[in-house]
């Protein structure tokens, strides 16, 4: 989404959720003192030890209390909440150990519901490619466009674990939209939250959450969970506006106002699979764009410029030949296509009918593929919505869906329909 759309979303979310409600619901601790945390590239916390210490996926490498910059009215964005930034072990799409950063937030008010306090493992939407885009940092700055969704979950007494995903915050390029990496990062941040001293989440039931890029992440985590993380008691998953098939998404983005997202995905795949050799396909314009994009954040001063500059351009404007037409790129894209495995937990999948970024057709194909494999899927579309408003309409439905799963209520989905 463009920065203008992001601002509209942010304002609309504030209106929908009610910032006053959040402040009232989460009272309990004093506001954090005004500070200015360093961005990840300047912060030694985000630099993992080399070699990584021995351990298993989800093990916490290090953690520290999160320090929030106060908002204009002098409140911490998450009053009444204990928060930690974490660096934890995860794995690349090829299964190699790597360090990923994130944030864990736990309400201080005692949980009085049934079982243990629920934990939402939260996958954010597109941030960009630069380390300063990492949500574990942007949340501390009060400038994350999903911070009020997170506040809504916290106001219900749920804990939230947010992953930065591979290469955001930590060294190396972000593997943007490489689903196998993102899904592992989301499952492992839930493990890290459960293993974090003082968080009190050891036996927490887990819900997965994600929209847009986060929808890819949540979808992959849902598919991987049974075999990759059987130790997690995953009760349900929300995946909205899902880019399930990046080849289909790329066809829709080429020549569109949002073609920058396709270029970002190319950078992400090149980072995950260096043998793809993206640079070998680029012309002078492409090399210049690549240099600009590698540190770009959408919610920044330089991010929108890059997005606007590429609007309505085509792959051919930046390449000598189309990498997406090659068997090597197609094979890697297909390997990260959702729909090959049925999620083991119930899924709510949502889609805006007039989504201008994520084609509704490929999302519908995903839900049908999951249903055909026996998954418990609730499929919901929003007729009068595009990508940003689709996120807004999904939020209350997703909260209600996960709330019912945490409460142990059965759901049969609507695959038969």
């Amino acid at each position: 989404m463009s920065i203008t759309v992001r601002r509209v979303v942010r304002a609309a979310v504030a209106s929908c959720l009610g910032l006053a409600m959040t402040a009232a619901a989460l009272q309990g601790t004093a506001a954090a003192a005004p500070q200015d945390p360093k961005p990840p590239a300047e912060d030694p916390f985000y630099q993992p030890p080399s070699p990584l210490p021995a351990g298993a996926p989800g093990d916490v490498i290090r953690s520290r209390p999160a320090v929030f910059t106060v908002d204009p009215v002098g409140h911490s964005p998450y009053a009444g909440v204990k928060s930690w930034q974490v660096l934890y072990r995860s794995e690349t799409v090829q299964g190699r150990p790597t360090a990923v950063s994130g944030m864990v937030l736990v309400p201080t008010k005692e949980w009085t519901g049934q079982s243990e306090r629920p934990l939402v493992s939260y996958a954010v939407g597109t941030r960009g490619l630069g380390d300063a885009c990492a949500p574990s940092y942007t949340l501390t700055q009060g400038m994350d466009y999903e911070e009020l969704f997170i506040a809504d979950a916290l106001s219900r007494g749920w804990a939230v674990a947010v992953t930065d995903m591979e290469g955001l915050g930590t060294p190396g390029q972000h593997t943007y939209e490489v689903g196998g990496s993102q899904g592992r990062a989301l499952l492992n941040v839930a493990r890290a939250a459960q293993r974090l001293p003082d968080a009190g989440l050891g036996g927490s039931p887990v819900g997965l959450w994600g929209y847009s890029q986060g929808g890819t992440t949540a979808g992959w985590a849902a598919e991987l969970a049974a075999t990759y993380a059987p130790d997690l008691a995953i009760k349900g998953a929300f995946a909205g506006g899902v880019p399930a098939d990046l080849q289909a998404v790329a066809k829709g983005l080429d020549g569109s106002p949002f073609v920058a997202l396709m270029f970002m995905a190319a950078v992400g795949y090149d980072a995950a699979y260096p043998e793809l050799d993206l640079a070998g396909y680029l012309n002078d314009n492409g090399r210049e764009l690549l240099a600009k994009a590698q540190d770009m954040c959408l919610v920044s001063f330089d991010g929108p410029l890059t997005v606007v500059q590429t609007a309505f351009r085509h792959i051919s404007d930046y390449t000598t030949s189309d990498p997406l037409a090659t068997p090597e790129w197609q094979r890697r894209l297909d390997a990260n296509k959702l729909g090959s495995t049925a999620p083991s937990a119930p899924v709510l999948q949502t889609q805006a009918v007039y989504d201008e970024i994520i084609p509704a057709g490929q999302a519908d194909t995903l839900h049908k593929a999951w249903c055909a494999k026996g998954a418990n899927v609730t499929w919901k579309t929003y007729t009068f919505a595009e990508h940003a408003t689709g996120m807004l309409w999904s939020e209350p439905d997703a909260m209600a869906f996960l709330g019912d799963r945490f409460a142990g209520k059965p759901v049969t989905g609507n695959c038969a329909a």
Side-chain angles (χ1 to χ4, degrees), residues 115-139:
S115 185
E116 301 294 325
R117 185 191 301 276
L119 169 64
V120 176
S121 196
Y122 196 105
V124 298
T126 298
R127 292 299 187 272
L129 297 175
D131 287 338
C133 316
S136 69
Y137 172 69
T138 60
L139 285 167

Side-chain angles (χ1 to χ4, degrees), residues 211-212 240-254 256 261 349-367 379 381 386-387:
Y211 187 90
S212 193
V242 183
D245 179 353
L246 289 193
Q247 293 195 63
V249 175
K251 289 178 182 178
L253 289 175
D254 195 25
S256 80
L261 301 177
Q349 185 190 350
T350 66
Q351 178 66 38
V353 172
Y354 295 107
D355 195 316
E356 75 282 23
I357 297 175
I358 308 302
Q362 57 88 49
D364 184 43
T365 298
L366 171 63
H367 117 260
W379 165 250
T381 59
E386 43 69 65
H387 193 67

Side-chain angles (χ1 to χ4, degrees), residues 158 272 331 372 399:
W158 306 341
R331 183 167 60 252
M399 287 291 178

Side-chain angles (χ1 to χ4, degrees), residues 65-123:
V67 176
F68 293 88
T69 301
V70 298
D71 65 26
V73 295
H75 297 98
S76 167
Y78 299 120
V81 173
K82 297 183 295 183
S83 305
W84 298 266
Q85 290 168 317
V86 295
L87 191 70
Y88 64 95
R89 286 180 63 104
S90 190
E91 292 182 326
T92 68
V93 69
Q94 294 97 343
R96 293 193 297 267
T98 189
V100 174
S101 51
M103 181 176 282
V104 177
L105 306 100
V106 183
T108 56
K109 186 176 180 180
E110 183 180 359
W111 172 252
T112 58
Q114 65 184 48
S115 185
E116 301 294 325
R117 185 191 301 276
L119 169 64
V120 176
S121 196
Y122 196 105

Side-chain angles (χ1 to χ4, degrees), residues 116-413:
E116 301 294 325
R117 185 191 301 276
L119 169 64
V120 176
S121 196
Y122 196 105
V124 298
T126 298
R127 292 299 187 272
L129 297 175
D131 287 338
C133 316
S136 69
Y137 172 69
T138 60
L139 285 167
T140 67
Q141 301 300 293
M143 61 182 195
D144 193 280
Y145 65 83
E146 291 181 70
E147 64 187 37
L148 295 179
F149 291 158
I150 294 169
D152 192 12
L154 293 168
S155 73
R156 298 165 189 264
W158 306 341
V160 178
V162 185
T163 178
D164 291 340
M165 299 167 289
E166 183 183 350
L168 273 188
T170 52
Q173 191 64 60
H174 175 36
T175 53
Y176 177 72
E177 279 297 12
V178 178
S181 168
Q182 294 176 182
R184 288 171 171 83
L186 188 62
L187 293 170
N188 285 324
V189 80
R191 285 167 158 162
Q194 292 186 341
R195 298 170 191 175
L196 185 67
D198 302 326
L201 301 173
S204 290
V206 177
L208 307 175
W209 175 294
Y211 187 90
S212 193
Q213 181 191 6
T216 302
T217 306
W220 263 94
E223 287 195 2
L224 288 170
T227 54
Y228 184 77
D231 51 302
L232 294 176
I234 296 179
K235 301 301 183 182
F238 159 63
V242 183
D245 179 353
L246 289 193
Q247 293 195 63
V249 175
K251 289 178 182 178
L253 289 175
D254 195 25
S256 80
F258 307 101
V259 67
L261 301 177
M262 178 178 65
F263 298 149
M264 287 170 54
V267 174
Y269 271 76
D270 187 61
Y273 305 104
E275 73 277 7
L276 292 178
D277 187 26
L278 175 62
Y281 295 89
L282 301 179
N283 59 24
D284 289 344
N285 290 334
R287 286 188 286 272
E288 180 182 359
L289 178 63
L290 179 62
K292 289 181 179 180
Q294 287 178 332
D295 294 319
M296 183 192 81
C297 295
L298 293 188
V299 184
S300 67
F301 292 107
D302 57 336
L305 179 62
T306 305
V307 172
V308 170
Q309 285 178 339
T310 59
F312 303 107
R313 299 293 183 89
H314 295 270
I315 295 175
S316 57
D317 294 325
Y318 298 97
T319 61
T320 55
S321 60
D322 184 0
L324 299 183
T326 66
E328 294 80 10
W329 277 81
Q330 291 173 0
R331 183 167 60 252
R332 293 306 192 184
L333 291 168
D334 284 343
N336 288 274
K337 181 179 177 179
L338 280 166
S340 63
T341 302
S344 52
V347 176
L348 169 65
Q349 185 190 350
T350 66
Q351 178 66 38
V353 172
Y354 295 107
D355 195 316
E356 75 282 23
I357 297 175
I358 308 302
Q362 57 88 49
D364 184 43
T365 298
L366 171 63
H367 117 260
K368 290 175 179 175
W370 277 344
C371 286
K373 291 177 173 60
N376 184 347
V377 182
T378 300
W379 165 250
K380 184 167 185 178
T381 59
Y382 304 102
T383 303
F384 301 106
E386 43 69 65
H387 193 67
T389 51
M391 179 167 66
L392 293 178
W393 305 161
S394 295
E395 197 273 347
D397 290 333
M399 287 291 178
F401 181 83
L402 289 183
D404 286 346
R405 304 294 76 74
F406 290 144
K409 296 180 180 180
V411 60
T412 56

